[in-house]
């Protein structure tokens, strides 16, 4: 059976520069079935879902629903549910957790502040605290958006959980169905495609050690897609895998070509040339798509280290 993910894999479509963009992730536990647009088509009150979508719009915050791996019968909601917020911009990366018995409390959050990396209202409203457990592995399993996410994502999440990996959750939507199974690892916010259990375990071990694994990496959600590809290219070129060491400080140009400046915490800089191409041959970009398309791909054309010169005193 041909699926969007099998076509993408068979054509060796590159995954770099394809991650969803979000400076801050807000995760709300919601067991039971999910519809295609889960915030308004699950057992969460759809009016609350719409209000949360409106509150988060244009703030840099992305809201997703999460649930524990396993069977998802139409069962009652537990009295308390987990809530997480994570900011992914280097220099201010954090992951806080809380519980709530009333998800409408989330409407009291300052979404603009969360998007800027300020967790004070999350802590004040929900009693949030820094997460002191293992990194979170969010595996997309929402088959109502794309069957590949259910067919490939749910077994992956179940295998990780059964093998004792802590912090595994199913998640409603990470984008890029054709790269299923897809996963996002918090707190650092790097997304992965065509993930397998053993590779995700390596990614999670790296995150525990403050190290980014670039194999299979789609990019950091902190950056727009040209920046995602540029940052990963600098990591690969320099062998710099420590988390929070690289930042995208400038993106000049517009599709289909950009010049991205990537800065290291030690002061070094690189100028990266990124070009947008089309993934060929034309194919459905998801299993639910009725028309053929050519998904955009981010190709890194060159990486140049910028030599810093010291002006002589006159």
């Amino acid at each position: 059976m041909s699926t969007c993910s099998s076509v993408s894999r068979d054509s060796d479509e590159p995954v770099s520069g394809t991650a969803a963009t979000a400076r801050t992730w807000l995760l709300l536990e919601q067991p039971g079935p999910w519809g295609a647009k889960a915030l308004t088509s699950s057992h969460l009150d759809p009016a609350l879902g719409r209000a949360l979508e409106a509150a988060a719009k244009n703030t840099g915050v992305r809201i997703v629903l999460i649930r524990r791996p396993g069977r998802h019968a139409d069962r009652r909601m537990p009295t308390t549910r987990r809530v997480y917020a994570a900011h992914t911009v280097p220099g201010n990366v954090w992951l806080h957790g809380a519980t709530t018995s009333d998800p409408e409390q989330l409407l009291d959050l300052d979404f603009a502040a969360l998007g800027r990396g300020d967790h004070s209202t999350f802590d004040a409203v929900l009693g949030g605290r820094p997460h002191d457990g293992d990194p979170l592995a969010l595996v997309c399993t929402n088959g109502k958006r794309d069957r590949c996410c259910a067919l490939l994502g749910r077994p992956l999440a179940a295998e990780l959980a059964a093998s004792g990996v802590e912090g595994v959750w199913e998640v409603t939507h990470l984008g890029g169905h054709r790269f299923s199974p897809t996963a996002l690892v918090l707190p650092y916010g790097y997304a992965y495609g065509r993930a397998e259990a053993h590779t995700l375990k390596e990614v999670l071990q790296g995150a525990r050690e403050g190290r980014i694994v670039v194999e299979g990496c789609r990019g950091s959600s902190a950056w727009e897609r040209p920046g995602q590809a540029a940052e990963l290219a600098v990591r690969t070129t320099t062998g710099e895998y420590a988390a929070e060491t690289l930042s995208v400080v400038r993106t000049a140009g517009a599709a289909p070509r950009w010049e991205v400046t990537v800065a290291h915490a030690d002061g070094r800089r690189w100028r990266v040339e990124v070009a947008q191409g089309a993934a060929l041959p034309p194919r459905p970009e998801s299993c639910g798509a009725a028309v053929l398309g050519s998904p955009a791909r981010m190709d890194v054309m060159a990486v140049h280290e910028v030599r810093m010169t010291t002006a002589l005193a006159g």
Side-chain angles (χ1 to χ4, degrees):
M1 179 179 66
S2 179
T3 62
C4 67
S5 59
S6 65
V7 172
S8 175
R9 187 188 297 267
D10 290 346
S11 62
D12 200 25
E13 181 184 355
V15 302
S16 175
T18 66
T21 56
R23 295 190 302 272
T24 301
W25 292 83
L26 182 62
L27 322 176
L28 173 63
E29 183 180 3
Q30 178 61 62
W34 295 332
K37 295 185 177 180
L39 273 179
T40 53
S41 54
S42 69
H43 287 329
L44 185 70
D45 180 350
L48 173 59
R50 286 190 292 271
L52 289 170
E53 286 179 337
K57 188 175 182 180
N58 299 324
T59 64
V61 178
R62 188 178 179 111
I63 307 173
V64 292
L65 303 181
I66 57 173
R67 64 190 178 196
R68 289 296 189 185
R71 298 190 59 173
H72 303 299
D74 195 349
R75 62 179 185 268
R76 287 189 173 273
M77 185 62 216
T79 54
T80 61
R81 56 181 94 187
R82 295 293 302 175
V83 186
Y84 295 97
H87 191 62
T88 62
V89 177
N92 186 31
V93 167
W94 50 261
L95 171 61
H96 283 212
T99 59
T100 183
S101 57
D102 180 10
E104 289 200 6
Q105 284 186 296
L106 273 63
L107 292 176
D108 294 328
L109 299 175
D110 184 337
F111 283 86
L114 275 175
R116 294 192 301 268
D118 178 356
H119 51 70
S120 57
T121 62
F122 183 87
D123 296 347
V125 170
L126 298 171
R129 296 287 183 272
H131 176 68
D132 58 4
D134 284 339
L136 303 186
L138 311 179
V139 180
C140 188
T141 63
N142 191 352
K144 290 296 175 64
R145 290 198 70 99
D146 192 283
R147 62 181 175 174
C148 288
C149 297
L151 292 172
L152 301 173
R154 290 192 66 188
L156 173 62
E159 181 180 353
L160 288 168
S163 66
V165 176
E166 299 291 335
V168 180
W169 294 87
E170 297 187 5
V171 66
T172 48
H173 185 46
L174 297 176
H177 320 293
R178 63 191 186 278
F179 302 120
S180 294
T182 63
L184 177 78
V185 175
L186 296 174
Y188 297 115
Y190 285 79
Y192 291 84
R194 304 183 187 126
E196 299 178 6
H198 71 278
T199 57
L200 262 189
K201 289 178 182 178
E202 293 174 6
V203 169
L204 290 167
Q205 180 60 35
R208 281 189 287 271
E209 298 170 356
R211 176 172 47 82
I212 305 304
V213 173
V214 299
E215 288 77 17
C217 190
R218 299 174 61 194
S220 165
S221 74
W223 318 124
E224 296 296 328
R225 292 182 177 182
Q228 294 172 10
E231 189 235 25
L232 289 176
V234 171
R235 287 193 179 279
T236 301
T237 300
T238 63
E240 175 58 88
Y241 303 117
E244 296 196 75
T245 52
L246 297 179
S247 294
V248 174
V249 296
R250 183 173 181 266
T251 301
R257 296 190 75 89
W258 299 267
E259 186 176 275
V260 180
T261 303
V262 177
H264 194 288
D266 66 11
R268 284 179 292 163
R269 291 194 171 210
W270 293 265
R271 189 175 66 253
V272 185
E273 298 173 24
V274 181
Q276 178 177 300
L280 297 173
R283 85 292 298 269
E285 294 189 37
S286 70
C287 288
V291 297
L292 297 181
S294 299
R297 53 182 282 173
M298 295 293 155
D299 294 315
V300 172
M301 311 307 291
V303 178
H304 306 283
E305 184 169 358
V306 179
R307 300 294 179 181
M308 307 301 286
T309 57
T310 304
L312 296 175

